[in-house]
Amino acid sequence: MAKVLMIGAGGVATVAAFKIAQNADVFTEFMIASRRKAKCDKIVEDIHKAGYKMDIKTAQVDADDVEQLKVLFNDFKPELVINLALPYQDLTIMDACLACGCNYLDTANYEPKDEAHFEYSWQWAYRERFEKAGLTAILGCGFDPGVTSIYTAYAAKHHFKEIQYLDIVDCNAGDHHKAFATNFNPEINIREITQKGLYWEDGKWVETEPLEIHKDLTYPEIGPRDSYLLHHEEIESLVINYPTIKRARFWMTFGQQYLKHLEVIQNIGMSRIDEVEYEAPLADGTGTAKVKIVPLQFLKAVLPNPQDLGENYEGQTSIGCRIRGIGNDGKEHTYYVYNNCSHRAAYEETGMQGVSYTTGVPAMIGAMMFCKGLWNTPGVHNVEEFDPDPFMEQLNKQGLPWHEIHDGDLEL
Amino acid sequence: MAKVLMIGAGGVATVAAFKIAQNADVFTEFMIASRRKAKCDKIVEDIHKAGYKMDIKTAQVDADDVEQLKVLFNDFKPELVINLALPYQDLTIMDACLACGCNYLDTANYEPKDEAHFEYSWQWAYRERFEKAGLTAILGCGFDPGVTSIYTAYAAKHHFKEIQYLDIVDCNAGDHHKAFATNFNPEINIREITQKGLYWEDGKWVETEPLEIHKDLTYPEIGPRDSYLLHHEEIESLVINYPTIKRARFWMTFGQQYLKHLEVIQNIGMSRIDEVEYEAPLADGTGTAKVKIVPLQFLKAVLPNPQDLGENYEGQTSIGCRIRGIGNDGKEHTYYVYNNCSHRAAYEETGMQGVSYTTGVPAMIGAMMFCKGLWNTPGVHNVEEFDPDPFMEQLNKQGLPWHEIHDGDLEL
């Protein structure tokens, strides 16, 4: 029924590949490509070991290189390209999609490599070109952004005449039993957390110092956790698509141990994203070379690989939207919609921990929405622009069931 | 009167060069050589700017390369080589000294690059060769080892029939106003602190976990500071040269902020001294190369340079020996001999902070002892094997005056 190409072979990609293999009635032809083909082959091997019989192709591609991408796309001819590579590579992949007539889906918005800063402007600039080409680009279809945006769209469609206050709350109450590790690509994670906070209020953006604003929030089945206001990309499109929103914020939990490590990583200069000239011996033993090293990228090479955290990961994540506004009855209501995901259950199903699972499953569902013709509108779209109902239905079927609390205390 | 060659151009070398220039009556010909000649030229420029008129030569040399060292030694023909390079390079420099008939002095004992471990055995193995060649090698002539060993020799010569308990105490109560910085080469510093503790008791070595044993000790003009038992190299030779010692330990102060940073540096893998394969773009823009990077060495490249700490460094260091034993009167006595050094005064005189100053000044005095013919005995010697009196006299003249407390409370 549909031919999809996934780019990336990390934890999120592994989960998405497992879920694609579980939905072979929708995804009839599937290829995984990444910089290192061996990582793609390993995913396929693991999927087959787990008992799924799908025939999956693999390929090597450098996603920084539009020409390489074009050769691959023209060869495999996918209807949809699922981009689970690095956010730096969104634009090269979108360029190649336009050149080759492929539709596009990603989970994280573009950021330039030399600036810790994310916003949709770069990708929204592709709207007209995708529209003219009759191609659909679906942006930010992981959990947050992704499910949180769809939760908001669902609330707007079914429960609110006017959404006024939106707080997206993201808690990871898991314990991976390591002194320090990030739950996804440490480079991207640390860039996100060390930048300034930002939220929307009364028609404008308010900036805060990094991690300046925090408070205890209570998460279902978990309890209270110190939660920090961060800038997160879905706010940017949600306040445009739901102009009745008076205030929109994003909160994420961090433990003291995590923050201590983060503080030191910054103090010692290892979160720097500029290049340092460094002379090092060549691996082949033929002498030394002057190379340029980005400290944060090198740190990634010595930190635990997020893909290896799954085995002893206990506890669960809890991510949701806390919404206040005017209900269809004209009265003020609150609404909390959320999913709790167990790291252990995620690991048992896919070999990956909950943070990869909660991002990889929605990516697959988004691809399914496109392949079924349900989310198929030429142009560049954030996920809340599509019908949330079939997506919400699939969340319950594909391992990320959601729960609702009406008129509870939002704490916010 | 004497021709000396100094290898190294860091903070300690800068101080030693200033002090050599201040004693031009002893050091009549002087050359500074290091991997980067520009650093040597900068030291000479600073010395001349400060008003010292000595004519100082400079040269480029890779101290890992015995052949390069030999060419340099044969060309300049120094009587004494002052090794203020890295501890990894002690043996190549000693080899070159033997080959070229040069005497030798250093401040830190050899350690192999791939093992965080120091001991004198490697250098003591050169004893016979230096003796046969009629050459003197003076080992460990900084502050600790160095002055602390000479303090012990002075105590043994003048105040004790039998030294029984020796505690070397090293306090840095300075504040450099940086979140984290090491006071000397961070690579060497972190290797030293992260290895297991070791002390001598009742004729054998006792090992501790890293930083396991600590207690508050009170330092003159400073007050109480939490002090940690570390292994330190001078203990190794002192218990051999003073066999009446029942227990010998070394203590160093660390603040909570410093230890927190150290803990995280270890947790995130940046204190590793094994090689990590890493692909990085070449600095000349011609592509990428696979290089081998030792995380701790790369960390050094992003941490503040200890040589740059001087400007706003406040407070002082206090290093000394706390000794208990049988005095010349046959009764038990205690003796505390120490120096306090002001970071600001060190900076005003040499442009370097107190930790560099307290190491560089004794290196110069040791060289002076050799050049004056006072410490000139073929073989390989630790500094306590020489007459301490002329050295102690120079300490008072050269900026590191010492103070004594007889029969006080040692706290230990």
Side-chain angles (χ1 to χ4, degrees):
Chain A
M1 189 174 156
K3 195 182 207 178
V4 297
L5 167 64
M6 182 175 88
I7 302 177
V12 172
T14 302
V15 171
F18 264 86
K19 303 306 286 194
I20 284 171
Q22 289 173 12
N23 290 277
D25 53 326
V26 175
F27 304 101
T28 44
E29 287 185 71
F30 179 32
M31 177 187 270
I32 309 174
S34 98
R35 195 181 300 268
R36 281 180 286 168
K37 186 175 176 292
K39 289 185 75 180
C40 308
D41 293 333
K42 176 70 170 54
I43 294 175
V44 176
E45 194 191 314
D46 291 343
I47 287 173
H48 289 161
K49 265 192 206 154
Y52 304 103
K53 298 199 194 313
M54 181 180 259
D55 177 36
I56 304 171
K57 292 186 175 58
T58 60
Q60 195 277 330
V61 74
D62 176 355
D64 285 325
D65 184 338
V66 178
E67 293 311 312
Q68 276 193 38
L69 289 166
K70 279 159 67 176
V71 169
L72 179 70
F73 294 2
N74 282 327
D75 183 45
F76 183 62
K77 298 191 194 308
E79 287 154 65
L80 177 70
V81 173
I82 304 173
N83 168 17
L84 302 177
L86 293 172
Y88 316 134
Q89 297 161 335
D90 288 0
L91 302 190
T92 49
I93 297 174
M94 289 177 84
D95 284 333
C97 281
L98 277 172
C100 303
C102 304
N103 298 283
Y104 173 89
L105 178 145
D106 69 26
T107 63
N109 69 6
Y110 175 71
E111 25 180 330
K113 224 170 179 165
D114 54 358
E115 205 186 320
H117 175 72
F118 46 79
E119 57 172 64
Y120 278 115
S121 61
W122 289 287
Q123 293 184 276
W124 286 344
Y126 283 71
R127 265 182 198 148
E128 217 178 319
R129 275 175 284 166
F130 270 79
E131 223 169 80
K132 274 191 184 157
L135 295 171
T136 300
I138 302 169
L139 303 187
C141 195
F143 205 105
D144 42 336
V147 176
T148 51
S149 322
I150 292 155
Y151 282 166
T152 306
Y154 184 80
K157 181 173 177 182
H158 297 287
H159 301 305
F160 288 93
K161 206 152 59 180
E162 213 178 90
I163 292 182
Q164 296 176 328
Y165 299 94
L166 167 67
D167 285 287
I168 298 172
V169 293
D170 179 337
C171 170
N172 181 2
D175 181 0
H176 48 54
H177 305 289
K178 307 243 183 224
F180 180 75
T182 58
N183 291 297
F184 56 98
N185 187 325
E187 184 187 345
I188 306 300
N189 188 212
I190 292 171
R191 281 166 70 116
E192 176 177 271
I193 298 164
T194 54
Q195 70 169 331
K196 293 202 171 188
L198 200 64
Y199 65 98
W200 177 263
E201 192 164 37
D202 296 331
K204 59 179 193 299
W205 291 102
V206 183
E207 197 177 71
T208 76
E209 287 308 301
L211 308 180
E212 181 188 344
I213 297 177
H214 61 109
K215 63 178 293 180
D216 264 5
L217 296 178
T218 309
Y219 296 89
E221 294 174 49
I222 291 166
R225 287 287 189 283
D226 205 4
S227 308
Y228 291 78
L229 190 153
L230 297 186
H231 175 39
H232 223 248
E233 58 205 83
E234 61 264 56
I235 302 290
E236 193 187 353
S237 65
L238 286 169
V239 298
I240 294 174
N241 288 316
Y242 300 96
T244 57
I245 291 179
K246 292 181 180 171
R247 189 186 63 206
R249 300 178 296 191
F250 181 94
W251 305 82
M252 189 178 271
T253 61
F254 299 108
Q256 283 313 303
Q257 181 75 355
Y258 188 90
L259 294 177
K260 176 175 96 176
H261 282 71
L262 196 69
E263 179 204 337
V264 170
I265 286 168
Q266 291 177 275
N267 283 344
I268 63 176
M270 287 305 298
S271 62
R272 283 169 56 184
I273 60 172
D274 58 320
E275 288 172 331
V276 173
E277 268 206 21
Y278 189 76
E279 189 158 352
L282 288 158
D284 62 10
T286 57
T288 66
K290 247 195 196 139
V291 291
K292 288 180 180 174
I293 295 180
V294 175
L296 182 54
Q297 284 173 15
F298 182 72
L299 179 63
K300 180 185 163 191
V302 296
L303 282 179
N305 185 336
Q307 287 176 61
D308 299 335
L309 296 178
E311 196 162 2
N312 296 302
Y313 216 139
E314 287 164 13
Q316 51 188 343
T317 63
S318 180
I319 316 175
C321 293
R322 300 187 183 189
I323 298 170
R324 179 190 305 273
I326 308 301
N328 293 324
D329 59 3
K331 290 183 189 152
E332 187 179 274
H333 288 281
T334 72
Y335 177 63
Y336 182 12
V337 53
Y338 67 91
N339 160 263
N340 272 27
C341 175
S342 148
H343 286 294
R344 187 183 299 258
Y347 179 72
E348 282 167 7
E349 183 185 338
T350 64
M352 295 293 136
Q353 32 88 355
V355 177
S356 298
Y357 191 87
T358 52
T359 311
V361 172
M364 179 283 292
I365 300 177
M368 176 188 274
M369 294 297 106
F370 174 81
C371 294
K372 286 184 169 177
L374 297 166
W375 283 17
N376 191 329
T377 316
V380 172
H381 306 283
N382 293 90
V383 292
E384 68 269 22
E385 299 172 41
F386 298 105
D387 182 8
D389 291 354
F391 195 104
M392 292 291 276
E393 189 191 324
Q394 284 297 324
L395 281 172
N396 282 330
K397 289 184 182 164
Q398 302 288 346
L400 293 175
W402 42 279
H403 312 278
E404 298 173 299
I405 298 170
H406 288 276
D407 293 320
D409 174 10
L410 297 185
E411 305 175 297
L412 287 160
Chain B
M1 191 174 154
K3 195 183 209 178
V4 298
L5 167 64
M6 181 175 87
I7 302 176
V12 173
T14 302
V15 171
F18 264 86
K19 302 306 286 195
I20 285 171
Q22 288 174 11
N23 289 275
D25 54 325
V26 176
F27 305 101
T28 43
E29 287 184 71
F30 179 33
M31 176 187 271
I32 309 173
S34 100
R35 196 182 299 267
R36 280 181 286 167
K37 185 173 177 294
K39 289 185 75 180
C40 308
D41 293 333
K42 175 70 171 57
I43 294 175
V44 175
E45 193 190 316
D46 290 345
I47 287 173
H48 289 161
K49 264 192 209 155
Y52 304 104
K53 298 198 193 314
M54 181 180 257
D55 177 37
I56 305 171
K57 291 186 175 60
T58 59
Q60 194 279 329
V61 74
D62 176 357
D64 285 325
D65 184 337
V66 179
E67 293 311 312
Q68 274 193 37
L69 290 166
K70 279 158 66 175
V71 169
L72 179 68
F73 294 2
N74 283 328
D75 183 46
F76 184 63
K77 298 191 193 309
E79 286 154 65
L80 177 69
V81 173
I82 304 173
N83 167 17
L84 301 177
L86 292 172
Y88 316 134
Q89 297 162 334
D90 288 0
L91 301 190
T92 49
I93 297 174
M94 289 177 83
D95 284 334
C97 280
L98 278 171
C100 303
C102 304
N103 298 282
Y104 173 88
L105 178 144
D106 70 26
T107 62
N109 69 7
Y110 175 70
E111 25 180 331
K113 223 169 178 166
D114 54 358
E115 206 185 320
H117 175 73
F118 47 77
E119 58 172 62
Y120 277 116
S121 61
W122 288 287
Q123 293 184 276
W124 286 345
Y126 283 72
R127 265 180 196 148
E128 217 177 318
R129 274 175 285 166
F130 270 81
E131 221 168 83
K132 275 190 184 159
L135 294 171
T136 300
I138 301 169
L139 304 187
C141 196
F143 206 104
D144 43 337
V147 176
T148 53
S149 322
I150 291 155
Y151 282 166
T152 306
Y154 184 81
K157 183 174 176 184
H158 297 288
H159 302 305
F160 289 94
K161 207 151 65 182
E162 216 177 87
I163 292 180
Q164 295 176 328
Y165 299 94
L166 168 66
D167 285 287
I168 297 171
V169 293
D170 180 335
C171 170
N172 181 1
D175 181 0
H176 47 51
H177 304 287
K178 307 241 182 224
F180 180 75
T182 59
N183 291 297
F184 55 98
N185 186 324
E187 183 187 347
I188 306 300
N189 187 215
I190 291 172
R191 281 167 72 117
E192 174 178 273
I193 298 164
T194 54
Q195 69 169 333
K196 292 202 172 189
L198 200 66
Y199 64 97
W200 177 263
E201 191 162 39
D202 297 330
K204 59 181 195 298
W205 291 101
V206 182
E207 197 177 73
T208 76
E209 288 308 302
L211 307 182
E212 181 188 343
I213 297 178
H214 61 109
K215 64 178 294 183
D216 263 3
L217 296 177
T218 309
Y219 296 89
E221 296 173 46
I222 291 166
R225 286 288 188 281
D226 205 6
S227 307
Y228 291 78
L229 192 153
L230 297 185
H231 175 39
H232 222 247
E233 58 204 85
E234 61 263 56
I235 303 289
E236 193 186 354
S237 65
L238 287 169
V239 298
I240 293 173
N241 288 317
Y242 301 95
T244 57
I245 290 178
K246 292 181 178 171
R247 190 187 62 207
R249 301 179 295 192
F250 180 93
W251 306 83
M252 190 179 273
T253 59
F254 299 108
Q256 283 313 303
Q257 181 75 353
Y258 188 90
L259 294 176
K260 176 176 98 175
H261 281 73
L262 197 69
E263 180 205 337
V264 170
I265 286 169
Q266 291 178 276
N267 283 344
I268 62 176
M270 286 306 297
S271 64
R272 284 169 56 184
I273 60 171
D274 59 320
E275 287 171 333
V276 173
E277 267 204 21
Y278 188 76
E279 190 159 349
L282 288 159
D284 62 9
T286 58
T288 67
K290 249 194 194 139
V291 291
K292 290 179 178 174
I293 295 180
V294 174
L296 183 53
Q297 283 173 15
F298 181 73
L299 179 62
K300 180 185 161 191
V302 295
L303 282 179
N305 185 339
Q307 288 177 61
D308 299 333
L309 296 178
E311 197 163 1
N312 295 303
Y313 216 139
E314 287 166 13
Q316 50 187 345
T317 64
S318 178
I319 317 175
C321 293
R322 299 187 184 190
I323 298 170
R324 178 190 306 276
I326 308 301
N328 294 324
D329 59 4
K331 290 182 187 150
E332 186 178 276
H333 289 280
T334 71
Y335 178 62
Y336 182 13
V337 53
Y338 67 90
N339 161 264
N340 273 28
C341 176
S342 147
H343 287 293
R344 187 184 297 258
Y347 179 72
E348 281 167 7
E349 183 184 338
T350 65
M352 295 293 135
Q353 33 87 353
V355 177
S356 298
Y357 190 87
T358 53
T359 310
V361 172
M364 179 282 292
I365 300 177
M368 176 189 273
M369 295 296 107
F370 175 82
C371 294
K372 287 184 169 177
L374 298 166
W375 284 16
N376 190 329
T377 317
V380 172
H381 305 282
N382 294 89
V383 292
E384 67 270 22
E385 298 173 42
F386 298 106
D387 182 7
D389 292 353
F391 194 104
M392 292 291 275
E393 191 191 322
Q394 285 298 324
L395 282 172
N396 282 330
K397 290 184 183 163
Q398 302 290 344
L400 293 174
W402 44 278
H403 311 278
E404 299 174 297
I405 299 170
H406 289 276
D407 293 320
D409 174 9
L410 297 184
E411 304 176 297
L412 286 160

